[in-house]
Amino acid sequence: MNAIETHQLTKVFPGDIRAVDGIDFEVKDGEIFAFLGPNGAGKTTTIKMLNTLIPPTSGTALVVGLDVVKNAVEVRNQIGYAAQDVGVDEHATGKENLTLYGHFYRLDSKTIKERVKEIFDLVGLTGAENRMVSTYSGGMRKRLDLAMGLIHQPRVMFLDEPTTGLDPQTRASIWEYIRKLVKSRGMTIFLTTHYMEEADRLADHIAIIDLGKIIATGTADELKKSIGGDVVTVTPCENHDEECKEFIRRSEAVLTGKPFVTGTKPTDGELAVYVNDGASAIPSIMQLLSGQGIEVKTITMSRPSLDDVFLKYTGRTIRAQEGTRTTFAQLRRMRNRRQQK
Ligand SMILES: Nc1ncnc2c1ncn2[C@@H]1O[C@H](COP(=O)(O)OP(=O)(O)OP(=O)(O)O)[C@@H](O)[C@H]1O
Ligand SMILES: [Mg+2]
């Protein structure tokens, strides 16, 4: 059985905002499935429909075989949800937060006590149970948030951007906890992210979503292979200044339209050149650029990334909001900014 299945799932908000526009996808039991997409793609809206928090405008969704509209109560008992914005109470301890959730699910005190201990251990917060959440770091709050979705031992866990704003180390440790959940509990994880690396490293299957539509699905490898060829990255300068930008512009102009070039993408200080065969393209690229007086500092060849996949299907790059550790206040501000949009 599939853990999640959708058919033409659609959400239209007032003002004809098609946040989710007829999506079909399947998540297998016991896998980590990632929705990868930029801001406003429709990730949270999809999660909210699957979580029974908002009804679809049309289409259907089954979670553990149950219809999210017709069997909403049963669905809720089988799922856990860690929202995009940390929902923990700052003025209580970690343990109090988790215990409260246990009561929400009407678990008895003995079960709550046992599970609280077990879950704190699972998410790596043992020792911090009795500290006020206001003293937790951003990463600890995210982990507590994740813990709160686990208290009733759900079969499917929804994580909306579980690592946004966290530093790479904390992000990696959260990935580790997510993997542990799947391994030790046989849980299915549905997560959303705009971090390429997160989808690439963590997910068994990925759906790339943009403007409410799924534009590609597959494993990270399948997606990368689907665009074929190699990426040759040319660095024509050492400083990221105006002169450098001009070099990149000129390089792009020289290479665009050449028969062996399938596309180009300028980035900060570099130019990515998509080619069918990197090894044979490199000498030609060097020759063409030096013929125009452009001196190449470095040139490398690699397989395409998920960013390249996104670019290929949408003509844009996912602007990942790379950031360092985020405080609760910053998370709030991020949320408010999003709401104002
Ligand atoms: N309640 C609402 N009313 C009107 N429009 C909404 C509402 N909720 C979301 N939207 C719009 O629907 C679209 C999808 O929003 P959604 O929150 O699902 O995106 P997202 O992929 O989660 O983005 P982010 O990465 O910023 O969290 C956006 O254009 C958003 O402005
Ligand atoms: Mg969102």
Side-chain angles (χ1 to χ4, degrees):
M1 190 184 68
N2 287 322
I4 304 170
E5 226 176 280
T6 72
H7 300 283
Q8 288 300 300
L9 188 65
T10 302
K11 182 73 191 179
V12 184
F13 287 114
D16 203 28
I17 299 165
R18 301 188 78 80
V20 175
D21 199 0
I23 57 172
D24 292 291
F25 68 92
E26 287 176 3
V27 178
K28 292 194 187 74
D29 237 347
E31 75 170 347
I32 302 179
F33 186 94
F35 244 23
L36 174 68
N39 290 142
K43 303 182 296 294
T44 299
T45 306
T46 304
I47 276 210
K48 284 187 175 166
M49 286 192 280
L50 297 174
N51 271 338
T52 79
L53 292 176
I54 55 171
T57 308
S58 60
T60 56
L62 302 180
V63 175
V64 293
L66 300 162
D67 187 292
V68 295
V69 177
K70 292 181 198 140
N71 312 103
V73 176
E74 292 94 322
V75 169
R76 264 175 239 159
N77 286 328
Q78 304 275 355
I79 61 171
Y81 173 42
Q84 182 164 0
D85 308 299
V86 174
V88 293
D89 181 354
E90 286 213 67
H91 305 295
T93 66
K95 195 170 170 177
E96 284 164 351
N97 267 284
L98 200 49
T99 304
L100 182 69
Y101 257 59
H103 288 302
F104 281 159
Y105 284 100
R106 302 212 169 93
L107 302 175
D108 61 71
S109 299
K110 185 166 168 278
T111 310
I112 294 177
K113 218 171 158 188
E114 280 165 15
R115 291 198 188 159
V116 164
K117 191 171 178 309
E118 188 190 315
I119 293 171
F120 269 111
D121 191 36
L122 186 69
V123 301
L125 282 177
T126 301
E129 299 95 322
N130 295 316
R131 271 171 55 187
M132 295 292 274
V133 174
S134 53
T135 71
Y136 280 20
S137 70
M140 289 167 83
R141 283 160 208 250
K142 276 278 191 190
R143 278 185 268 163
L144 179 62
D145 213 36
L146 205 148
M148 287 175 23
L150 295 173
I151 191 84
H152 57 301
Q153 301 192 329
R155 286 172 62 191
V156 182
M157 183 78 189
F158 291 92
L159 305 172
D160 198 358
E161 300 196 14
T163 67
T164 293
L166 301 178
D167 60 76
Q169 235 171 325
T170 312
R171 189 173 298 159
S173 80
I174 289 190
W175 293 348
E176 202 183 304
Y177 300 121
I178 294 173
R179 285 195 195 99
K180 236 201 252 179
L181 286 177
V182 173
K183 250 197 181 152
S184 67
R185 304 286 180 87
M187 206 177 270
T188 305
I189 306 275
F190 178 99
L191 67 90
T192 74
T193 184
H194 52 225
Y195 292 125
M196 238 72 60
E197 198 197 351
E198 185 155 283
D200 205 348
R201 303 259 306 265
L202 192 58
D204 298 306
H205 282 96
I206 300 165
I208 298 184
I209 179 165
D210 186 37
L211 303 173
K213 288 186 190 293
I214 290 180
I215 52 173
T217 46
T219 63
D221 269 353
E222 283 166 0
L223 288 168
K224 290 177 205 166
K225 278 191 188 130
S226 76
I227 69 171
D230 295 316
V231 185
V232 175
T233 305
V234 179
T235 316
C237 37
E238 273 156 0
N239 305 314
H240 295 185
D241 52 15
E242 274 310 310
E243 195 187 19
C244 174
K245 282 186 191 150
E246 183 52 29
F247 269 128
I248 290 172
R249 268 194 293 273
R250 280 178 52 207
S251 305
E252 192 177 18
V254 171
L255 297 170
T256 300
K258 293 289 175 286
F260 63 91
V261 175
T262 59
T264 53
K265 177 182 125 193
T267 52
D268 203 18
E270 292 173 347
L271 179 69
V273 186
Y274 300 99
V275 296
N276 291 325
D277 177 39
S280 68
I282 285 178
S284 311
I285 291 173
M286 296 289 284
Q287 203 178 9
L288 282 164
L289 294 182
S290 74
Q292 293 298 314
I294 300 167
E295 192 194 339
V296 174
K297 304 287 180 202
T298 61
I299 188 161
T300 57
M301 185 178 89
S302 61
R303 301 291 305 165
S305 68
L306 287 178
D307 202 9
D308 298 317
V309 177
F310 190 81
L311 178 76
K312 168 92 177 190
Y313 287 108
T314 67
R316 293 176 287 117
T317 58
I318 296 181
R319 271 186 300 276
Q321 299 163 339
E322 287 297 339
T324 49
R325 191 184 295 276
T326 311
T327 63
F328 194 59
Q330 282 171 316
L331 282 172
R332 272 248 165 84
R333 278 201 294 277
M334 276 161 61
R335 180 187 61 188
N336 292 342
R337 271 204 299 275
R338 280 207 185 99
Q339 283 172 345
Q340 282 161 11
K341 267 186 210 163

